[in-house]
Amino acid sequence: MYIFIKKLYIFTIDILTYSGKRGIIKLAGDDNMGSFINGSDMGFRFHSCIEHDFFVRALGYNDFDYIAPDKGTRRQSFYTIHVVLSGSGVLRLAGTEFEVKEHSIFCVPPDTDLMYYPNDNDKWEYMWFEFVGGNSSQYMQAMGLSLENPVMPCRDFQTIKLAAQSIFSRPNVEETVKYYDVLSLFYKVVASASQRAVSNRQTTVEAVISYIVYHYHYQNLTVENICRDLHISHSHLCRLLKNATGKTPIGYLLGVRLDEACRLLKHTDMHISEIAYTVGFKDAVHFMKTFKNHMNCTPKEYRKINQKI
C-alpha cells in the first residue's frame, strides 16, 4: 500500500447493472456469454459518508460486444484506471491519441478533454476503477502514468483477472468485505504498474549513465545533447539522476571526467594539458582549477603522491 488510509470508511454499496440502450445482461447459461463474467456490464459503487484523502468509489466492467461506445469528447471530475481484458481501442487525452492494446492499463485524469472507444474489428472488454481524493495523483505517479504517458502493459495480468472474477462472481457479499476486496484488487493493479514504472526508471538511468560514460571525452557535450539523444526532458533527466546518484547531470559528468583524469595521472606519463583535453576539458587552465577545487591538490601534486608507473 503506497498511501496509508487513517480513517475508517462508512459506506453503502450499490450493485450496478445496465440494460436497454447501454447494453444487455446475459443470463447464466447463455451460449453467447463472455468468459470474464456473466454479464455485459456490471459494477459496484460505494458511498462514503465523509471526504477522504483517497477513496475508490466504484469498480465496473464493460463488454463492448454488447454495448455502444460513447465517441463524444467529454470530461470527468474523478480519476479512472481501466484494465483491458481483451480487444483493443483508442484513447484520446487533451488532443493526443494513444493506441490501447489487450492486457493494457490506461488512466483518465480529471478535468481533461477525453474520449476512448474500442476498435470496430476488435472490440474491447475492460474493468475500471473510479477513485477520488487529494492523494489520487500520487497513485498515478507511483504507477508511472501521466497525461503524457497514460497507457502501459499490465504485468501479472492473470493474477489480476482471477482476483477480479472472484469479486464479480460474489455480488452479494457484505459491503465492508466487498469494499476491501475491491481495494485489494486496486492495489494489485497499482503494484503491477509500479513494478514496471520502477523498471523503466532504472533502465532510463542506466541509459543516461552509459551515455555519459561513453561520451564524457567530447568537449562540447551538454545536458541538452543527452536530453535530445535519449528523448528525455531536462527536468526528468535531472530528477532521475539526482535520485539515483545524488548528483546533477553536470555534476555526474564532471565526476566521470575527474575520475578518468585521476586514472591517467596515476598510470600514464601523459602531459597534464593532454589529459585535460582527453577527458573533455577545453583548456588546461580550467582543468587544473577544477581539479584543485574538487581534489584539494593540483594535478601535478596528485601525480606525485599517487603515480605508480
Side-chain angles (χ1 to χ4, degrees):
M1 183 179 296
Y2 293 90
I3 300 171
F4 293 100
I5 302 172
K6 299 180 180 179
K7 299 178 181 178
L8 178 66
Y9 290 103
I10 305 170
F11 52 79
T12 59
I13 178 174
D14 293 335
I15 299 175
L16 308 176
T17 57
Y18 306 100
S19 60
K21 293 183 178 179
R22 284 210 58 192
I24 61 174
I25 298 302
K26 292 171 282 188
L27 301 176
D30 186 344
D31 291 337
N32 294 321
M33 186 167 53
S35 60
F36 183 66
I37 64 170
N38 297 342
S40 60
D41 287 90
M42 186 175 180
F44 308 97
R45 182 167 296 280
F46 304 97
H47 302 281
S48 175
C49 295
I50 54 177
E51 289 297 323
H52 301 281
D53 292 334
F54 174 75
F55 185 65
V56 176
R57 294 203 307 198
L59 167 68
Y61 163 78
N62 300 117
D63 183 349
F64 285 83
D65 273 334
Y66 297 90
I67 60 176
D70 181 357
K71 292 189 176 182
T73 300
R74 58 194 186 278
R75 288 192 167 211
Q76 60 188 35
S77 60
F78 45 83
Y79 287 88
T80 53
I81 289 175
H82 303 69
V83 180
V84 180
L85 304 166
S86 65
S88 60
V90 174
L91 168 67
R92 185 176 298 164
L93 288 178
T96 302
E97 193 169 287
F98 303 90
E99 180 184 5
V100 183
K101 298 181 179 180
E102 183 180 44
H103 301 175
S104 292
I105 298 170
F106 71 90
C107 72
V108 180
D111 305 318
T112 303
D113 289 341
L114 66 96
M115 178 193 305
Y116 50 92
Y117 51 86
N119 290 320
D120 291 337
N121 59 351
D122 188 27
K123 294 181 179 178
W124 59 21
E125 60 172 339
Y126 57 56
M127 65 177 180
W128 50 268
F129 299 88
E130 175 185 316
F131 56 102
V132 294
N135 287 334
S136 295
S137 62
Q138 296 182 37
Y139 284 93
M140 306 301 285
Q141 293 170 11
M143 296 172 74
L145 294 170
S146 65
L147 189 62
E148 296 77 24
N149 181 42
V151 183
M152 66 166 50
C154 180
R155 293 166 59 102
D156 304 321
F157 173 78
Q158 289 301 327
T159 300
I160 291 169
K161 180 179 177 179
L162 289 173
Q165 285 176 317
S166 175
I167 291 174
F168 282 107
S169 68
R170 299 178 293 114
N172 296 314
V173 171
E174 192 269 327
E175 48 267 36
T176 302
V177 174
K178 178 65 68 178
Y179 180 77
Y180 286 106
D181 282 347
V182 170
L183 195 62
S184 176
L185 177 61
F186 177 83
Y187 285 127
K188 282 183 172 67
V189 175
V190 172
S192 169
S194 298
Q195 291 168 13
R196 184 176 182 85
V198 170
S199 176
N200 287 344
R201 285 195 292 271
Q202 290 173 339
T203 301
T204 304
V205 168
E206 291 168 0
V208 170
I209 290 174
S210 294
Y211 185 96
I212 291 174
V213 168
Y214 284 106
H215 294 84
Y216 71 89
H217 56 281
Y218 288 106
Q219 296 177 4
N220 293 321
L221 180 62
T222 65
V223 175
E224 287 68 30
N225 297 146
I226 301 172
C227 294
R228 182 198 63 218
D229 291 348
L230 296 182
H231 306 288
I232 186 172
S233 71
H234 187 283
S235 60
H236 189 43
L237 169 65
C238 292
R239 183 167 59 251
L240 284 177
L241 207 57
K242 186 73 172 180
N243 290 339
T245 69
K247 298 180 180 180
T248 64
I250 291 297
Y252 190 84
L253 171 60
L254 179 60
V256 170
R257 285 172 167 169
L258 291 178
D259 285 347
E260 179 62 9
C262 289
R263 188 187 71 81
L264 294 173
L265 287 166
K266 288 170 64 176
H267 299 293
T268 75
D269 59 357
M270 291 172 63
H271 193 276
I272 289 174
S273 60
E274 188 179 359
I275 291 175
Y277 300 134
T278 299
V279 301
F281 285 85
K282 292 183 177 181
D283 66 78
V285 175
H286 178 53
F287 165 69
M288 288 186 284
K289 287 181 178 179
T290 302
F291 191 96
K292 186 171 184 179
N293 287 339
H294 287 81
M295 306 301 296
N296 296 316
C297 63
T298 66
K300 185 176 181 179
E301 291 168 341
Y302 182 90
R303 169 172 274 171
K304 185 176 182 180
I305 296 170
N306 294 281
Q307 193 169 50
K308 298 178 181 180
I309 295 178

